[in-house]
Amino acid sequence: DVNVFNGPAGRIESAGFEYGTESLLKTMASSNGYSVVGGGHSAILVRTLGIDISHLSSGGGACIEYPSGGRLPGIEALK
């Protein structure tokens, strides 16, 4: 199983609003699957909470685009 999380589920910058995103991340991390988290805000929250994730990417859009078959300009330039 692969679990993918891209972007926070709400307004995590305000106290009390981070609970939903935190719960989703902790549930995903506790599963037996490979966990991929993308996006800068999500990356900060994962590190702040000390959640163990298989792969953490600050590039939210790229984290979704590449696995879905999209082309990334940086990779295309290297080719």
Side-chain angles (χ1 to χ4, degrees), residues 8-9 12-13 21 28-29 31 33 36 42 44 52 54-55 58 62 64 67 76-77:
I12 62 169
E13 299 85 6
T21 301
M28 187 173 81
S31 75
V36 178
S42 298
I44 291 169
D52 188 26
S54 307
H55 180 79
S58 61
I64 294 297
E76 293 301 314

Side-chain angles (χ1 to χ4, degrees), residues 19-42:
Y19 179 73
T21 301
E22 180 181 339
S23 295
L24 289 169
L25 288 169
K26 286 181 177 179
T27 300
M28 187 173 81
S30 68
S31 75
N32 292 328
Y34 188 83
S35 302
V36 178
V37 174
H41 289 94
S42 298

